[in-house]
Every structure is written in structure tokens, then in C-alpha cells.
Amino acid sequence: MSAPTCLESASDRWLLLSLLPRFGLRLRERIHANTEQLTDILDMNAATLKALGLTTDAIEAVMAWQADDSGHPVIVEAGRIRSASMASGIFLMGYGEAGYPDALRHIHNAPLLLYGRGDPDLLRKDQLGVVGSRNATRAGLEHARQFSAELSRRGLLITSGLALGIDGAAHAGALDAGFQTIAVVGCGLDRLYPAQHRKLAERIIEQGLIISEYPPGTQARAAHFPQRNRIISGLSRGVLVVEASLRSGSLITARTALEQGREVFAIPGSVHSPVARGCHQLIKQGARLVETADDVLEELGTWWSMQPASECDQTGPAEQDLSGLDSREIAVLEALGYDPQSTDALSLATGLPADQLMQSLLLLELEGLANSAPGGYLRAG
């Protein structure tokens, strides 16, 4: 059965799933246990869909999609969202598509669909969430800028929520230093909030990426922000809280980060400052106390990109002196990437037996050209 001509791409299939009535997490988990891909249900018959637990309304929507019924309300809404997205330069990325970030895919209740404006390739980079109070102090704003600039130089992509205060300062700190940044928002990408950050949002779209799980036309609502926070932490290796009161939404982000297995960092402040108390509480509960960028990088691990990247070439490796290496070590170095590889994979790639491979890796480590890491070995810097 063919899909409606206006909804033919892989992301359109995920768009339709995101609009199905009562298509909640428990139902998705049940379906996922019985199919290779959630979108497989769009090709199933009504009896199979009922057996899987879909409601009558959801089954009717799937049948309408299969029958190319452009008048069905769900199909009409899908078409509206697709058209509005195209008109605003918004791309769609479904949960099962290749570009969807693995880190986010594995969190609890991952978004079925992401809407984005900017560079989608940034979603696959190592990220650090930087969040904090909307009512930040001057010192807090400066900390957010400085840490974001320095951590960007050291190889981490700064991700935040575009809110007033710390979030905005974090984005601006990365951009002003010549680096990219990701903003996650709780509204449609044609309804960016807050209005005070419209120019900042334009800079992010031009130099980075803004994403949302909400379709065009969706206004910002208070209930959307905790949902947005799980995406910030889900995309990130860890979350740095710069300033936060005891009732700050940033503490929700930190708690979500812990639940997702991410690292949590906090910058301490004055014992008299209400926007420092949330950070102090996090530190009491086990968050890493942060005074410098090195504190973050040490906790995350030395196998990440620790060398400063130039503002003209943020991703290219530095020139390396290979004159002291023989052909075996050069072959091993060429087989290494910037993600950890197991010794089995390296042995297969180079054709070297285990003892010769380990000798070469040890020499490369001594020369500062390779690092050991959880999962294997990778190039240094």
C-alpha cells in the first residue's frame, strides 16, 4: 500500500507516528519488542494493529494513511506540519533515521521526532549541557560565557535551552568564541521563545542548530520545559549547572541527567546567594564541584578531545611528527580513529598479531599519539 504523495519520506512516517492518538511510551515499547522498527506498523493490517494494542482511532489513522485518504484529520495535520516545516526551513528527523543521535535514542521516552533548523550533523558531536538560573547574577553570566567558550575550545559542543540568563550566556559564549552551539526549545521553531533572544536564535541557526520535539505553530508552555530538559541532558555527556535556586528548573535537568547516567557538575557560589543554593545542594548530593574547565574534562575522561581547536579549524587534527615511527606503528596509527576501538578491531584492520599490536600501541602512547580509553584505543588530540 502506498503512502499519500505528500508524505513519502522516512521522516514523514515518524511524523505520522508522533500524531497517532494514545500512542504512548508503554504501547511503543510493546510494539518495539515485536517489530524491527516502530514504523513497521504503518504497513500492518487492522487486525494485527489491534492485537498489538493500538486504539480504534489510531488504527483508523493508519488505515487512512495506507488508503491515501487525504481528508482524515491525522493525515491533514501531518500535511499541515510538513508544509509549515518546509515554509520555515525546518527539517524533520525520526527516531529510527541514521542522523538521529544515539545518545538521545537510548534515553527513557526519547522523542519520536525532532524538528530542527541549522546543521543536523552537530547532533552527533560530543556535547555538554550548560544550564542555570533565568535570574542570574552578573558573575553567573560571566561564568557561563567563559566556561562555554573554554569548553568549546577544548572540543565539547555546548548545548542549552535558549532561556534568559545562564542559557543565553552559554550560547553566546560559545558563538562569540567562534564555535557552534545547540539550543533545545520547548516550542515550535517558528514560535521561538523568549522574544528577547530572537537575534541570538538567528545566530544559532546560522552557526549551529536549534531543535524541538514540538511541531511548527506550537507556543511555549510551562509544561514543555521539563520535557525539553530531558533532551538537553539526553544529548549531552554531562550537565554543568552554573547558578540555580533551590526551585530552579535547572535542578530538574540535573536530576534527569543523573537518571540518564550522565555526569553532573556545579559551580559553587556565595553562601548568601539564593541562586547558588541549588548548586550547593547538587554538590552535597554528589555533583562534581567545578572551578575550572579542567574539572569537567577530568571527570568526563582524558580520551576526549582535550587539545584546543583553532577557531578556523575546529575539527581537524594537529600536524603530527611521525618521523620516529616505523611502518608497523604508522599502520596502527592510521587504523585508529577519534572514537575508542577494541584491540580485536585494530588487529583485524592492521593484520597484526596481538603481541605486535600491543607493542605498537604502547609505543604510540609513549609518543603521545594514542590514548587508552574504556572500549579500547583512539588517537590523541
Side-chain angles (χ1 to χ4, degrees):
M1 300 180 184
S2 63
T5 55
C6 63
L7 299 169
E8 296 178 332
S9 70
S11 57
D12 289 328
R13 292 170 69 90
W14 290 101
L15 170 59
L16 186 65
L17 288 191
S18 73
L19 298 174
L20 289 182
R22 299 186 182 180
F23 196 65
L25 179 61
R26 289 187 179 180
L27 177 57
R28 299 201 303 266
E29 290 176 340
R30 186 189 316 149
I31 293 170
H32 204 276
N34 291 278
T35 62
E36 290 188 9
Q37 186 70 273
L38 280 176
T39 51
D40 290 346
I41 68 170
L42 298 181
D43 303 311
M44 295 177 179
N45 60 41
T48 303
L49 296 175
K50 184 176 181 180
L52 286 172
L54 271 73
T55 65
T56 300
D57 288 346
I59 294 172
E60 289 177 353
V62 174
M63 294 299 101
W65 185 85
Q66 292 179 3
D68 200 5
D69 179 5
S70 58
H72 188 280
V74 172
I75 309 304
V76 170
E77 178 64 2
R80 182 199 69 78
I81 291 172
R82 168 54 78 184
S83 297
S85 297
M86 293 178 64
S88 298
I90 298 169
F91 66 80
L92 280 63
M93 183 179 292
Y95 175 91
E97 294 187 78
Y100 193 99
D102 285 338
L104 187 63
R105 182 180 283 120
H106 292 102
I107 71 168
H108 177 74
N109 196 21
L112 286 178
L113 188 68
L114 294 175
Y115 299 87
R117 294 180 68 185
D119 183 359
D121 291 339
L122 296 182
L123 289 170
R124 294 194 290 272
K125 292 185 176 292
D126 288 333
Q127 299 169 45
L128 181 77
V130 179
V131 297
S133 174
R134 286 174 169 81
N135 300 309
T137 66
R138 181 175 298 179
L141 295 174
E142 190 59 28
H143 285 148
R145 284 178 172 273
Q146 292 178 352
F147 272 87
S148 295
E150 179 60 21
L151 289 166
S152 294
R153 292 188 188 99
R154 305 288 288 275
L156 289 170
L157 183 69
I158 300 302
T159 297
S160 194
L162 197 64
L164 297 175
I166 296 300
D167 289 19
H171 292 305
L175 292 170
D176 292 345
F179 296 92
Q180 297 167 308
T181 183
I182 294 179
V184 185
V185 298
C187 55
L189 298 184
D190 59 343
R191 298 286 189 273
L192 289 174
Y193 174 89
Q196 296 96 313
H197 277 173
R198 292 286 170 83
K199 289 186 178 180
L200 176 61
E202 291 173 3
R203 290 183 66 195
I204 296 172
I205 292 168
E206 291 174 2
Q207 303 178 47
L209 175 67
I210 296 184
I211 62 169
S212 176
E213 65 179 319
Y214 299 104
T218 305
Q219 298 286 352
R221 297 177 183 172
H224 292 172
F225 294 106
Q227 295 298 309
R228 175 207 62 181
N229 293 346
R230 87 188 193 286
I231 298 177
I232 294 174
S233 57
L235 286 169
S236 304
R237 300 285 189 170
V239 171
L240 171 63
V241 182
V242 178
E243 283 187 337
S245 67
L246 289 174
R247 301 186 66 179
S248 171
S250 300
L251 299 191
I252 298 176
T253 310
R255 184 172 65 248
T256 303
L258 289 172
E259 292 170 353
Q260 294 168 344
R262 297 347 186 217
E263 300 291 344
V264 175
F265 308 91
I267 297 177
S270 168
V271 295
H272 303 294
S273 172
V275 292
R277 289 173 186 162
C279 291
H280 294 167
Q281 178 173 295
L282 289 173
I283 293 167
K284 290 177 183 178
Q285 294 172 344
R288 174 70 182 262
L289 187 153
V290 170
E291 295 176 314
T292 68
D294 285 335
D295 294 329
V296 175
L297 299 172
E298 286 173 7
E299 191 73 19
L300 292 177
T302 56
W303 61 91
W304 282 10
S305 304
M306 296 297 105
Q307 300 301 319
S310 73
E311 294 182 10
C312 296
D313 181 8
Q314 297 172 24
T315 57
E319 194 70 30
Q320 295 174 317
D321 181 9
L322 308 183
S323 59
L325 303 181
D326 64 22
S327 58
R328 191 175 72 185
E329 276 73 53
I330 291 174
V332 175
L333 183 61
E334 290 178 346
L336 289 171
Y338 292 94
D339 291 312
Q341 298 184 66
S342 69
T343 53
D344 288 343
L346 290 170
S347 182
L348 183 63
T350 60
L352 293 174
D355 59 338
Q356 293 183 21
L357 175 65
M358 294 308 297
Q359 290 173 11
S360 297
L361 287 168
L362 177 59
L363 178 60
L364 291 173
E365 282 194 273
L366 293 174
E367 293 290 333
L369 298 173
N371 288 325
S372 60
Y377 291 81
L378 74 168
R379 283 196 183 212

